[in-house]
Amino acid sequence: MPARSRAERARAAVARCARELAALSAESGDEEALGQVAAPVLIGCLSCMEAASDAGKALRRLTFEAANNDAIREAGGIPPLVALVTAGASSEAAAEA
């Protein structure tokens, strides 16, 4: 399989993951437990253009639970979120973050 095709499939998989975590973050439940598991994954998704919007949306929702703010910070989320937001207001992902 050509490398480009594998890279496209990988980006699509990351985007699917971010969409699913965004959907989970919209449901009520144990937000703190979700944040502990999802924050590192979502932060990784921020670097994928296809997933950044959903990842930003999910991270924003997770911050409604105070304990998740620590989880996001401890997972190294501040620099990529700042980079996303400073990418410009026209960025859909920045608007969601």
Side-chain angles (χ1 to χ4, degrees), residues 53-91:
S53 179
D54 285 322
K57 186 184 311 180
L59 286 165
R60 179 178 49 85
R61 288 181 186 144
L62 290 176
T63 64
F64 298 159
E65 174 68 39
N68 289 335
N69 294 331
D70 290 332
I72 292 167
R73 180 184 43 77
E74 290 168 7
I78 303 302
L81 283 168
V82 169
L84 181 68
V85 172
T86 58
S90 62
S91 164

Side-chain angles (χ1 to χ4, degrees), residues 2-16 48 50:
R4 180 171 173 88
S5 177
R6 290 178 57 163
E8 289 171 357
R9 289 178 54 207
R11 285 191 295 276
V14 171
R16 284 192 307 275
C48 178
E50 293 85 352

